[in-house]
Amino acid sequence: AEILFDASGLSAAGGELRLALIQCMAASRLARLRRRSELELEVAHLERRLGLLDAAGRSYLRLVSGGDLSGPDRDEAAHWCARISEDQGRTRLAQERWRVLARTAVLPQRRLIAYERLALSFCGDGLIQEARGVLQELRSALEPQSKALTQQGKQLLQTYDKCTDRINQALSVH
């Protein structure tokens, strides 16, 4: 499985995404359960990069629902699940997926991004009260972490400030 996965990486780096997809799919079928989920995440990424958005969306959703991925990998799959819904114009579905990710992601940075995408989506739909509610929820949930005097807290504060600035800017337009 690992040799096929390595070959997949080389194929992808060389621009041969279809070959990389085939190799990665074969590797995932041969791998043990935990590793299989990680390889299936790579399959979903390759499907997305190839423009196979329906297939990628199904793959990401299966991975999010399956529970075999680590927290950060599951969050990554959930992020792309929401992005694909958004890219396909399925706004309400994307908003619901952003909301779930904002509330459940393991990494605070991922939560911030999800809150921002959700608020900006509401602004784009003219749902200003909903966007304000998201901004308030973001502040309640993540402002204390962004004030931590750790290196992670400092990094989070930078992202937090940028996200809230972009949301406030979008709100000021309305």
Side-chain angles (χ1 to χ4, degrees):
E2 293 305 315
I3 292 170
L4 278 169
F5 178 65
D6 290 345
S8 171
L10 291 172
S11 297
E16 296 288 333
L17 295 180
R18 288 202 182 278
L19 177 58
L21 177 61
I22 292 166
Q23 291 166 328
C24 198
M25 290 172 91
S28 73
R29 284 192 295 273
L30 295 173
R32 295 180 194 267
L33 183 61
R34 172 95 168 110
R35 184 67 173 140
R36 182 179 309 135
S37 294
E38 294 168 354
L39 293 172
E40 287 173 356
L41 180 59
E42 292 303 318
V43 166
H45 290 327
L46 287 165
E47 289 170 335
R48 177 179 46 82
R49 290 175 59 196
L50 281 164
L52 305 171
L53 296 184
D54 288 334
R58 284 190 302 274
S59 294
Y60 287 129
L61 185 59
R62 187 174 50 253
L63 289 164
V64 169
S65 304
D68 294 326
L69 286 176
S70 67
D73 285 344
R74 187 182 58 253
D75 292 349
E76 182 178 357
H79 172 91
W80 284 110
C81 203
R83 278 287 304 271
I84 287 171
S85 296
E86 197 174 72
D87 292 347
Q88 291 178 323
R90 296 161 53 191
T91 306
R92 297 287 180 249
L93 179 59
Q95 289 168 343
E96 186 53 38
R97 289 178 174 168
W98 287 128
R99 184 181 307 279
V100 169
L101 184 59
R103 292 176 176 169
T104 63
V106 173
L107 300 175
Q109 298 277 7
R110 186 69 76 183
R111 293 181 69 198
L112 271 173
I113 292 166
Y115 274 122
E116 179 184 10
R117 300 290 295 228
L118 177 60
L120 295 178
S121 178
F122 281 146
C123 285
D125 284 353
L127 302 171
I128 303 309
Q129 284 307 110
E130 288 83 347
R132 284 191 178 111
V134 170
L135 180 58
Q136 184 57 44
E137 185 177 327
L138 181 160
R139 286 182 174 139
S140 296
L142 294 173
E143 188 172 28
Q145 290 180 5
S146 72
K147 303 289 187 199
L149 298 176
T150 63
Q151 185 61 34
Q152 183 183 11
K154 290 176 186 175
Q155 292 171 342
L156 185 61
L157 180 59
Q158 291 175 348
T159 305
Y160 176 87
D161 287 342
K162 289 176 186 176
C163 286
T164 55
D165 287 349
R166 285 188 291 262
I167 294 169
N168 282 320
Q169 183 178 13
L171 287 169
S172 71
V173 171
H174 292 80

